[in-house]
Amino acid sequence: EATIAPYGNFAEKFLGETKLLLDISADEGLMEEWEFTELRRKIQDKRKQDKFLPNELATLLIDSNDKAFLKKFKSRLEEETSTKIVEKKGVLEKLLNKDFFIELKK
């Protein structure tokens, strides 16, 4: 089992006499990528629940407390979830670090 090293943001583990260190810090870009991945997963789960076919285009009604994030990832989100984004106000729910409202329409 790895432990947090006392000298910085690293996890350490010994394999025999070899010490492995893993930098566990995350910069803003990596944190945004995690948020995007979770948002995409949530949308794909919703598509499945709503019985959309894999390549069937859906309208994604979406809102967030971070408009810059939505703008930055809009085209990628549309492409990777087979959706067309339309901004719409709704009740926001926390995902990882940002809040979102999502709803799918045919």
Side-chain angles (χ1 to χ4, degrees):
E1 182 173 309
T3 59
I4 302 300
Y7 43 83
N9 208 12
F10 292 89
E12 70 178 15
K13 180 173 178 108
F14 286 92
L15 297 174
E17 293 186 21
T18 304
K19 181 184 349 182
L20 297 176
L21 294 174
L22 175 64
D23 184 355
I24 57 174
S25 58
D27 65 14
E28 185 64 30
L30 185 56
M31 291 175 67
E32 279 191 338
E33 191 63 34
W34 290 339
E35 195 83 43
F36 172 81
T37 300
E38 279 302 302
L39 179 59
R40 180 183 61 205
R41 183 197 58 73
K42 185 171 178 129
I43 293 166
Q44 296 294 43
D45 285 349
K46 189 136 182 65
R47 284 181 62 89
K48 186 176 180 181
Q49 288 173 3
D50 293 350
K51 298 182 177 20
F52 280 91
L53 298 174
N55 291 322
E56 184 178 2
L57 187 65
T59 299
L60 173 61
L61 306 175
I62 192 166
D63 191 19
S64 176
N65 64 338
D66 188 341
K67 305 295 186 210
F69 178 88
L70 286 181
K71 184 177 180 180
K72 179 177 181 178
F73 289 100
K74 180 181 179 188
S75 61
R76 186 172 162 201
L77 195 58
E78 286 178 329
E79 181 181 328
E80 294 183 22
T81 61
S82 296
T83 58
K84 177 67 179 158
I85 289 178
V86 175
E87 288 191 38
K88 181 181 183 214
K89 296 287 183 200
V91 176
L92 299 175
E93 294 179 18
K94 176 77 72 190
L95 196 53
L96 293 178
N97 296 311
K98 300 177 189 319
D99 299 331
F100 295 94
F101 161 76
I102 62 169
E103 183 180 331
L104 290 175
K105 297 282 186 185
K106 292 204 179 233

